[in-house]
Amino acid sequence: TVVSCPLDVLPALVRRAQALGGRAIRLNVAGAFHSPLMAPAAGRLAAALAGEAIAPPRFPLYLNATARPSGGAIAADMARQAAAPVLWRQTLENMAANGVDTFVEAGPGAVLTGLTQKTLPGARAFYVEDGQSLEKLKNWLAQRTGGMADGR
């Protein structure tokens, strides 16, 4: 279980967890993302996206806040996710139940790739961190699609 709280509350939270026989580990994160503490940012994100034209996705866009595909209100869905808990396991399981068997993580760190492999041991999980890993993914996609891995 992950708990978000203001930093000044953290010492008391740790003591309480230990008193109840649990343990608490401070995560090395930049903010209390996906928690109610992000509500002000979610509101600003909603306002910023309100006037933007967002094209409908060409494939199901799963939301970590609901573990289901978006109903089409992409801007509102994105803002809602900023302050909502992540339903990671449920999202992956729903995607797998709907035929998704390959996952790609792009960006710093490969934490989500590892979590995907633990959650769905039979799934393929790729981590793209540089040009070499991107080429590896593109080659795999080209083999799987008969050379049609051009982003369409």
Side-chain angles (χ1 to χ4, degrees), residues 3-66:
V3 177
S4 299
C5 66
L7 287 176
D8 61 331
V9 175
L10 186 60
L13 178 69
V14 170
R15 286 192 301 275
R16 181 71 176 141
Q18 291 170 340
L20 293 171
R23 65 185 180 126
I25 300 169
R26 182 175 175 186
L27 299 179
N28 184 20
V29 295
F33 305 115
H34 306 291
S35 81
L37 296 173
M38 295 301 295
R44 289 192 301 275
L45 179 59
L49 292 174
E52 297 298 321
I54 300 175
R58 294 183 296 182
F59 50 86
L61 176 64
Y62 279 79
L63 307 171
N64 287 329
T66 64

Short mmCIF file of all heavy atoms in Angstrom, two decimals, residues 3-66:
data_model
loop_
_atom_site.label_atom_id
_atom_site.label_comp_id
_atom_site.label_asym_id
_atom_site.label_seq_id
_atom_site.Cartn_x
_atom_site.Cartn_y
_atom_site.Cartn_z
N VAL A 3 0.96 5.32 0.64
CA VAL A 3 0.25 6.38 1.32
C VAL A 3 0.92 7.70 0.97
O VAL A 3 2.14 7.80 1.02
CB VAL A 3 0.29 6.18 2.86
CG1 VAL A 3 -0.38 7.33 3.58
CG2 VAL A 3 -0.32 4.84 3.24
N SER A 4 0.12 8.69 0.62
CA SER A 4 0.64 10.03 0.36
C SER A 4 0.27 10.93 1.52
O SER A 4 -0.84 10.85 2.04
CB SER A 4 0.04 10.60 -0.92
OG SER A 4 0.37 9.80 -2.02
N CYS A 5 1.21 11.79 1.89
CA CYS A 5 0.93 12.73 2.97
C CYS A 5 1.89 13.90 2.87
O CYS A 5 2.94 13.80 2.24
CB CYS A 5 1.06 12.06 4.34
SG CYS A 5 2.74 11.53 4.75
N PRO A 6 1.53 15.01 3.50
CA PRO A 6 2.48 16.13 3.56
C PRO A 6 3.73 15.69 4.33
O PRO A 6 3.65 14.84 5.23
CB PRO A 6 1.72 17.22 4.32
CG PRO A 6 0.27 16.85 4.17
CD PRO A 6 0.24 15.34 4.09
N LEU A 7 4.88 16.26 3.97
CA LEU A 7 6.14 15.84 4.60
C LEU A 7 6.14 16.01 6.11
O LEU A 7 6.73 15.20 6.82
CB LEU A 7 7.31 16.60 3.98
CG LEU A 7 7.69 16.17 2.57
CD1 LEU A 7 8.81 17.06 2.03
CD2 LEU A 7 8.13 14.71 2.55
N ASP A 8 5.46 17.03 6.63
CA ASP A 8 5.48 17.24 8.07
C ASP A 8 4.68 16.17 8.82
O ASP A 8 4.84 15.99 10.02
CB ASP A 8 4.98 18.64 8.43
CG ASP A 8 3.54 18.90 7.99
OD1 ASP A 8 3.10 18.30 7.00
OD2 ASP A 8 2.87 19.72 8.65
N VAL A 9 3.85 15.42 8.14
CA VAL A 9 3.06 14.35 8.74
C VAL A 9 3.81 13.01 8.68
O VAL A 9 3.52 12.08 9.44
CB VAL A 9 1.68 14.23 8.02
CG1 VAL A 9 0.87 13.06 8.52
CG2 VAL A 9 0.91 15.54 8.17
N LEU A 10 4.77 12.92 7.80
CA LEU A 10 5.47 11.65 7.56
C LEU A 10 6.07 11.01 8.81
O LEU A 10 5.86 9.81 9.02
CB LEU A 10 6.53 11.85 6.48
CG LEU A 10 7.23 10.59 6.00
CD1 LEU A 10 6.25 9.60 5.41
CD2 LEU A 10 8.29 10.96 4.96
N PRO A 11 6.80 11.71 9.66
CA PRO A 11 7.37 11.04 10.84
C PRO A 11 6.31 10.37 11.72
O PRO A 11 6.50 9.24 12.18
CB PRO A 11 8.08 12.17 11.60
CG PRO A 11 8.41 13.17 10.53
CD PRO A 11 7.25 13.11 9.56
N ALA A 12 5.18 11.01 11.92
CA ALA A 12 4.11 10.42 12.74
C ALA A 12 3.52 9.20 12.04
O ALA A 12 3.20 8.20 12.69
CB ALA A 12 3.03 11.46 13.01
N LEU A 13 3.39 9.27 10.73
CA LEU A 13 2.88 8.13 9.97
C LEU A 13 3.82 6.93 10.11
O LEU A 13 3.36 5.80 10.33
CB LEU A 13 2.70 8.52 8.49
CG LEU A 13 2.22 7.41 7.58
CD1 LEU A 13 0.77 7.05 7.89
CD2 LEU A 13 2.36 7.83 6.13
N VAL A 14 5.11 7.17 10.00
CA VAL A 14 6.10 6.09 10.13
C VAL A 14 6.02 5.48 11.53
O VAL A 14 5.99 4.26 11.68
CB VAL A 14 7.52 6.61 9.83
CG1 VAL A 14 8.57 5.57 10.19
CG2 VAL A 14 7.64 6.99 8.35
N ARG A 15 5.96 6.32 12.55
CA ARG A 15 5.87 5.81 13.93
C ARG A 15 4.61 4.97 14.12
O ARG A 15 4.64 3.91 14.74
CB ARG A 15 5.91 6.96 14.93
CG ARG A 15 7.28 7.59 15.10
CD ARG A 15 7.34 8.53 16.31
NE ARG A 15 6.38 9.63 16.22
CZ ARG A 15 6.59 10.79 15.58
NH1 ARG A 15 7.73 10.99 14.97
NH2 ARG A 15 5.67 11.72 15.58
N ARG A 16 3.50 5.43 13.57
CA ARG A 16 2.23 4.71 13.72
C ARG A 16 2.29 3.36 13.03
O ARG A 16 1.84 2.34 13.58
CB ARG A 16 1.08 5.56 13.16
CG ARG A 16 -0.26 4.93 13.29
CD ARG A 16 -0.73 4.90 14.74
NE ARG A 16 -2.08 4.37 14.79
CZ ARG A 16 -2.51 3.56 15.73
NH1 ARG A 16 -1.72 3.23 16.73
NH2 ARG A 16 -3.72 3.09 15.70
N ALA A 17 2.85 3.32 11.82
CA ALA A 17 2.98 2.05 11.10
C ALA A 17 3.84 1.08 11.89
O ALA A 17 3.50 -0.10 12.03
CB ALA A 17 3.58 2.30 9.71
N GLN A 18 4.95 1.56 12.44
CA GLN A 18 5.84 0.70 13.22
C GLN A 18 5.16 0.22 14.50
O GLN A 18 5.31 -0.94 14.90
CB GLN A 18 7.14 1.44 13.53
CG GLN A 18 7.99 1.65 12.29
CD GLN A 18 9.17 2.59 12.51
OE1 GLN A 18 9.18 3.38 13.46
NE2 GLN A 18 10.14 2.49 11.63
N ALA A 19 4.39 1.08 15.14
CA ALA A 19 3.67 0.71 16.37
C ALA A 19 2.65 -0.39 16.10
O ALA A 19 2.37 -1.21 16.97
CB ALA A 19 2.98 1.93 16.97
N LEU A 20 2.14 -0.42 14.88
CA LEU A 20 1.16 -1.44 14.50
C LEU A 20 1.82 -2.69 13.93
O LEU A 20 1.14 -3.59 13.44
CB LEU A 20 0.16 -0.86 13.48
CG LEU A 20 -0.75 0.24 14.02
CD1 LEU A 20 -1.54 0.88 12.89
CD2 LEU A 20 -1.69 -0.33 15.08
N GLY A 21 3.18 -2.74 13.98
CA GLY A 21 3.90 -3.91 13.49
C GLY A 21 4.20 -3.85 12.00
O GLY A 21 4.66 -4.84 11.42
N GLY A 22 3.97 -2.73 11.39
CA GLY A 22 4.24 -2.59 9.96
C GLY A 22 5.56 -1.89 9.73
O GLY A 22 6.35 -1.68 10.65
N ARG A 23 5.79 -1.56 8.51
CA ARG A 23 6.99 -0.81 8.18
C ARG A 23 6.61 0.27 7.17
O ARG A 23 5.62 0.16 6.47
CB ARG A 23 8.08 -1.70 7.61
CG ARG A 23 7.76 -2.32 6.30
CD ARG A 23 8.86 -3.31 5.87
NE ARG A 23 8.50 -3.88 4.59
CZ ARG A 23 9.27 -3.87 3.52
NH1 ARG A 23 10.47 -3.35 3.60
NH2 ARG A 23 8.87 -4.38 2.39
N ALA A 24 7.40 1.30 7.15
CA ALA A 24 7.16 2.40 6.22
C ALA A 24 8.48 2.75 5.55
O ALA A 24 9.51 2.85 6.20
CB ALA A 24 6.61 3.60 6.97
N ILE A 25 8.41 2.90 4.24
CA ILE A 25 9.59 3.24 3.46
C ILE A 25 9.25 4.49 2.66
O ILE A 25 8.24 4.51 1.94
CB ILE A 25 9.97 2.10 2.49
CG1 ILE A 25 10.27 0.83 3.27
CG2 ILE A 25 11.15 2.51 1.61
CD1 ILE A 25 10.39 -0.40 2.39
N ARG A 26 10.05 5.51 2.82
CA ARG A 26 9.81 6.73 2.04
C ARG A 26 10.25 6.47 0.60
O ARG A 26 11.39 6.09 0.35
CB ARG A 26 10.56 7.91 2.62
CG ARG A 26 10.28 9.17 1.84
CD ARG A 26 10.91 10.38 2.46
NE ARG A 26 10.67 11.51 1.57
CZ ARG A 26 11.18 12.69 1.76
NH1 ARG A 26 11.94 12.92 2.82
NH2 ARG A 26 10.94 13.66 0.91
N LEU A 27 9.34 6.67 -0.32
CA LEU A 27 9.66 6.48 -1.73
C LEU A 27 10.40 7.70 -2.26
O LEU A 27 10.10 8.84 -1.90
CB LEU A 27 8.39 6.26 -2.55
CG LEU A 27 7.55 5.04 -2.17
CD1 LEU A 27 6.30 4.98 -3.05
CD2 LEU A 27 8.36 3.77 -2.31
N ASN A 28 11.36 7.46 -3.12
CA ASN A 28 12.14 8.53 -3.72
C ASN A 28 11.40 9.06 -4.95
O ASN A 28 11.65 8.64 -6.07
CB ASN A 28 13.54 8.02 -4.09
CG ASN A 28 14.43 9.13 -4.63
OD1 ASN A 28 14.17 10.30 -4.40
ND2 ASN A 28 15.45 8.76 -5.36
N VAL A 29 10.43 9.92 -4.70
CA VAL A 29 9.62 10.48 -5.77
C VAL A 29 9.66 12.00 -5.66
O VAL A 29 9.93 12.57 -4.61
CB VAL A 29 8.16 9.98 -5.72
CG1 VAL A 29 8.10 8.48 -5.98
CG2 VAL A 29 7.51 10.31 -4.39
N ALA A 30 9.35 12.66 -6.76
CA ALA A 30 9.41 14.11 -6.81
C ALA A 30 8.15 14.78 -6.26
O ALA A 30 8.15 15.98 -6.02
CB ALA A 30 9.67 14.57 -8.25
N GLY A 31 7.09 14.02 -6.09
CA GLY A 31 5.85 14.62 -5.61
C GLY A 31 4.84 13.55 -5.24
O GLY A 31 5.06 12.36 -5.49
N ALA A 32 3.74 13.98 -4.69
CA ALA A 32 2.68 13.06 -4.26
C ALA A 32 1.72 12.80 -5.43
O ALA A 32 0.51 12.98 -5.32
CB ALA A 32 1.94 13.64 -3.07
N PHE A 33 2.30 12.38 -6.55
CA PHE A 33 1.50 12.17 -7.76
C PHE A 33 0.44 11.09 -7.53
O PHE A 33 0.62 10.18 -6.75
CB PHE A 33 2.42 11.78 -8.92
CG PHE A 33 3.51 12.79 -9.15
CD1 PHE A 33 4.83 12.46 -8.96
CD2 PHE A 33 3.19 14.09 -9.52
CE1 PHE A 33 5.83 13.40 -9.15
CE2 PHE A 33 4.18 15.03 -9.71
CZ PHE A 33 5.51 14.69 -9.52
N HIS A 34 -0.66 11.24 -8.24
CA HIS A 34 -1.78 10.29 -8.19
C HIS A 34 -2.37 10.18 -6.78
O HIS A 34 -2.76 9.11 -6.35
CB HIS A 34 -1.36 8.92 -8.71
CG HIS A 34 -0.75 8.98 -10.08
ND1 HIS A 34 -1.48 9.29 -11.20
CD2 HIS A 34 0.52 8.80 -10.50
CE1 HIS A 34 -0.68 9.29 -12.24
NE2 HIS A 34 0.53 9.00 -11.86
N SER A 35 -2.41 11.29 -6.09
CA SER A 35 -3.03 11.32 -4.77
C SER A 35 -3.86 12.59 -4.64
O SER A 35 -3.70 13.53 -5.43
CB SER A 35 -1.95 11.29 -3.68
OG SER A 35 -1.41 12.59 -3.49
N PRO A 36 -4.74 12.66 -3.64
CA PRO A 36 -5.54 13.88 -3.44
C PRO A 36 -4.69 15.14 -3.25
O PRO A 36 -5.18 16.24 -3.48
CB PRO A 36 -6.36 13.57 -2.19
CG PRO A 36 -6.46 12.07 -2.18
CD PRO A 36 -5.13 11.58 -2.72
N LEU A 37 -3.44 14.99 -2.85
CA LEU A 37 -2.57 16.15 -2.69
C LEU A 37 -2.30 16.85 -4.03
O LEU A 37 -1.84 17.99 -4.06
CB LEU A 37 -1.25 15.75 -2.02
CG LEU A 37 -1.39 15.23 -0.59
CD1 LEU A 37 -0.05 14.71 -0.08
CD2 LEU A 37 -1.92 16.32 0.32
N MET A 38 -2.60 16.18 -5.12
CA MET A 38 -2.40 16.75 -6.46
C MET A 38 -3.65 17.42 -7.00
O MET A 38 -3.68 17.87 -8.15
CB MET A 38 -1.94 15.65 -7.43
CG MET A 38 -0.59 15.05 -7.11
SD MET A 38 0.75 16.25 -7.09
CE MET A 38 0.78 16.75 -8.80
N ALA A 39 -4.70 17.53 -6.20
CA ALA A 39 -5.96 18.12 -6.68
C ALA A 39 -5.78 19.53 -7.26
O ALA A 39 -6.35 19.83 -8.32
CB ALA A 39 -7.01 18.11 -5.57
N PRO A 40 -4.99 20.40 -6.63
CA PRO A 40 -4.81 21.73 -7.25
C PRO A 40 -4.16 21.64 -8.64
O PRO A 40 -4.58 22.34 -9.55
CB PRO A 40 -3.90 22.46 -6.26
CG PRO A 40 -4.14 21.78 -4.94
CD PRO A 40 -4.37 20.33 -5.31
N ALA A 41 -3.19 20.77 -8.78
CA ALA A 41 -2.54 20.60 -10.09
C ALA A 41 -3.51 20.00 -11.09
O ALA A 41 -3.52 20.37 -12.28
CB ALA A 41 -1.30 19.73 -9.96
N ALA A 42 -4.35 19.07 -10.65
CA ALA A 42 -5.34 18.46 -11.54
C ALA A 42 -6.30 19.52 -12.06
O ALA A 42 -6.68 19.51 -13.24
CB ALA A 42 -6.10 17.35 -10.82
N GLY A 43 -6.69 20.44 -11.20
CA GLY A 43 -7.57 21.53 -11.62
C GLY A 43 -6.91 22.43 -12.65
O GLY A 43 -7.53 22.82 -13.65
N ARG A 44 -5.63 22.74 -12.44
CA ARG A 44 -4.91 23.57 -13.41
C ARG A 44 -4.72 22.83 -14.73
O ARG A 44 -4.81 23.42 -15.80
CB ARG A 44 -3.56 24.01 -12.83
CG ARG A 44 -3.73 25.04 -11.71
CD ARG A 44 -2.43 25.71 -11.31
NE ARG A 44 -1.41 24.80 -10.83
CZ ARG A 44 -1.30 24.35 -9.58
NH1 ARG A 44 -2.18 24.73 -8.67
NH2 ARG A 44 -0.33 23.54 -9.24
N LEU A 45 -4.47 21.51 -14.64
CA LEU A 45 -4.32 20.72 -15.87
C LEU A 45 -5.64 20.70 -16.63
O LEU A 45 -5.66 20.86 -17.86
CB LEU A 45 -3.87 19.29 -15.53
CG LEU A 45 -3.70 18.34 -16.71
CD1 LEU A 45 -2.67 18.87 -17.71
CD2 LEU A 45 -3.28 16.96 -16.20
N ALA A 46 -6.74 20.52 -15.94
CA ALA A 46 -8.06 20.51 -16.59
C ALA A 46 -8.31 21.84 -17.29
O ALA A 46 -8.78 21.87 -18.43
CB ALA A 46 -9.16 20.23 -15.57
N ALA A 47 -7.97 22.94 -16.64
CA ALA A 47 -8.17 24.26 -17.24
C ALA A 47 -7.28 24.44 -18.47
O ALA A 47 -7.72 24.97 -19.49
CB ALA A 47 -7.89 25.35 -16.21
N ALA A 48 -6.04 23.98 -18.39
CA ALA A 48 -5.12 24.12 -19.51
C ALA A 48 -5.55 23.27 -20.70
O ALA A 48 -5.38 23.68 -21.85
CB ALA A 48 -3.70 23.72 -19.07
N LEU A 49 -6.11 22.11 -20.44
CA LEU A 49 -6.52 21.22 -21.52
C LEU A 49 -7.91 21.54 -22.08
O LEU A 49 -8.26 21.08 -23.17
CB LEU A 49 -6.51 19.76 -21.04
CG LEU A 49 -5.14 19.17 -20.71
CD1 LEU A 49 -5.29 17.80 -20.10
CD2 LEU A 49 -4.27 19.13 -21.96
N ALA A 50 -8.68 22.33 -21.36
CA ALA A 50 -10.07 22.59 -21.75
C ALA A 50 -10.19 23.16 -23.16
O ALA A 50 -11.11 22.81 -23.89
CB ALA A 50 -10.74 23.53 -20.75
N GLY A 51 -9.28 24.00 -23.56
CA GLY A 51 -9.38 24.60 -24.88
C GLY A 51 -8.60 23.88 -25.97
O GLY A 51 -8.56 24.34 -27.11
N GLU A 52 -8.02 22.75 -25.64
CA GLU A 52 -7.20 22.01 -26.60
C GLU A 52 -8.04 21.00 -27.38
O GLU A 52 -8.92 20.36 -26.82
CB GLU A 52 -6.06 21.28 -25.89
CG GLU A 52 -5.09 22.20 -25.20
CD GLU A 52 -4.38 23.14 -26.15
OE1 GLU A 52 -4.01 22.71 -27.27
OE2 GLU A 52 -4.19 24.31 -25.79
N ALA A 53 -7.74 20.88 -28.65
CA ALA A 53 -8.38 19.85 -29.48
C ALA A 53 -7.55 18.59 -29.37
O ALA A 53 -6.40 18.56 -29.79
CB ALA A 53 -8.46 20.32 -30.93
N ILE A 54 -8.10 17.57 -28.77
CA ILE A 54 -7.40 16.30 -28.61
C ILE A 54 -8.08 15.28 -29.50
O ILE A 54 -9.28 15.00 -29.34
CB ILE A 54 -7.39 15.84 -27.13
CG1 ILE A 54 -6.68 16.90 -26.28
CG2 ILE A 54 -6.73 14.48 -26.99
CD1 ILE A 54 -6.71 16.62 -24.80
N ALA A 55 -7.33 14.75 -30.44
CA ALA A 55 -7.90 13.77 -31.38
C ALA A 55 -8.24 12.49 -30.63
O ALA A 55 -7.54 12.11 -29.68
CB ALA A 55 -6.89 13.47 -32.49
N PRO A 56 -9.30 11.82 -31.05
CA PRO A 56 -9.63 10.55 -30.42
C PRO A 56 -8.52 9.54 -30.66
O PRO A 56 -7.90 9.54 -31.72
CB PRO A 56 -10.94 10.11 -31.09
CG PRO A 56 -11.20 11.08 -32.18
CD PRO A 56 -10.22 12.20 -32.10
N PRO A 57 -8.23 8.70 -29.68
CA PRO A 57 -7.17 7.71 -29.87
C PRO A 57 -7.53 6.70 -30.95
O PRO A 57 -8.71 6.40 -31.17
CB PRO A 57 -7.05 7.03 -28.50
CG PRO A 57 -8.32 7.33 -27.80
CD PRO A 57 -8.86 8.59 -28.38
N ARG A 58 -6.50 6.17 -31.62
CA ARG A 58 -6.72 5.16 -32.67
C ARG A 58 -6.77 3.76 -32.09
O ARG A 58 -7.01 2.80 -32.81
CB ARG A 58 -5.60 5.25 -33.71
CG ARG A 58 -5.65 6.57 -34.48
CD ARG A 58 -4.61 6.63 -35.55
NE ARG A 58 -3.28 6.59 -34.94
CZ ARG A 58 -2.16 6.66 -35.62
NH1 ARG A 58 -2.16 6.76 -36.92
NH2 ARG A 58 -1.00 6.62 -35.00
N PHE A 59 -6.53 3.64 -30.81
CA PHE A 59 -6.58 2.36 -30.11
C PHE A 59 -7.06 2.66 -28.70
O PHE A 59 -7.04 3.81 -28.27
CB PHE A 59 -5.21 1.67 -30.11
CG PHE A 59 -4.10 2.58 -29.66
CD1 PHE A 59 -3.79 2.71 -28.32
CD2 PHE A 59 -3.37 3.32 -30.59
CE1 PHE A 59 -2.78 3.56 -27.90
CE2 PHE A 59 -2.36 4.17 -30.18
CZ PHE A 59 -2.07 4.30 -28.84
N PRO A 60 -7.51 1.65 -27.96
CA PRO A 60 -8.01 1.92 -26.60
C PRO A 60 -6.95 2.58 -25.72
O PRO A 60 -5.82 2.12 -25.67
CB PRO A 60 -8.38 0.53 -26.08
CG PRO A 60 -8.60 -0.29 -27.30
CD PRO A 60 -7.64 0.24 -28.33
N LEU A 61 -7.32 3.65 -25.07
CA LEU A 61 -6.44 4.37 -24.16
C LEU A 61 -6.90 4.04 -22.74
O LEU A 61 -7.93 4.54 -22.27
CB LEU A 61 -6.53 5.88 -24.41
CG LEU A 61 -5.75 6.76 -23.46
CD1 LEU A 61 -4.25 6.49 -23.59
CD2 LEU A 61 -6.06 8.22 -23.73
N TYR A 62 -6.16 3.14 -22.09
CA TYR A 62 -6.53 2.71 -20.75
C TYR A 62 -6.13 3.76 -19.73
O TYR A 62 -5.05 4.34 -19.81
CB TYR A 62 -5.86 1.37 -20.41
CG TYR A 62 -6.59 0.20 -20.99
CD1 TYR A 62 -6.44 -0.14 -22.34
CD2 TYR A 62 -7.45 -0.57 -20.22
CE1 TYR A 62 -7.11 -1.21 -22.88
CE2 TYR A 62 -8.12 -1.65 -20.76
CZ TYR A 62 -7.95 -1.96 -22.09
OH TYR A 62 -8.63 -3.02 -22.63
N LEU A 63 -7.00 3.96 -18.76
CA LEU A 63 -6.77 4.92 -17.69
C LEU A 63 -6.37 4.19 -16.43
O LEU A 63 -7.06 3.27 -16.00
CB LEU A 63 -8.05 5.72 -17.44
CG LEU A 63 -8.69 6.39 -18.66
CD1 LEU A 63 -10.04 6.96 -18.30
CD2 LEU A 63 -7.76 7.45 -19.20
N ASN A 64 -5.27 4.61 -15.82
CA ASN A 64 -4.83 3.97 -14.58
C ASN A 64 -5.77 4.30 -13.42
O ASN A 64 -5.78 3.60 -12.42
CB ASN A 64 -3.41 4.39 -14.23
CG ASN A 64 -2.39 3.75 -15.12
OD1 ASN A 64 -2.59 2.64 -15.60
ND2 ASN A 64 -1.30 4.44 -15.37
N ALA A 65 -6.55 5.35 -13.55
CA ALA A 65 -7.47 5.73 -12.47
C ALA A 65 -8.72 4.85 -12.45
O ALA A 65 -9.38 4.74 -11.41
CB ALA A 65 -7.87 7.19 -12.61
N THR A 66 -9.06 4.23 -13.59
CA THR A 66 -10.27 3.40 -13.65
C THR A 66 -9.98 1.97 -14.07
O THR A 66 -10.84 1.10 -13.94
CB THR A 66 -11.28 3.97 -14.67
OG1 THR A 66 -10.70 3.91 -15.98
CG2 THR A 66 -11.66 5.40 -14.33
#
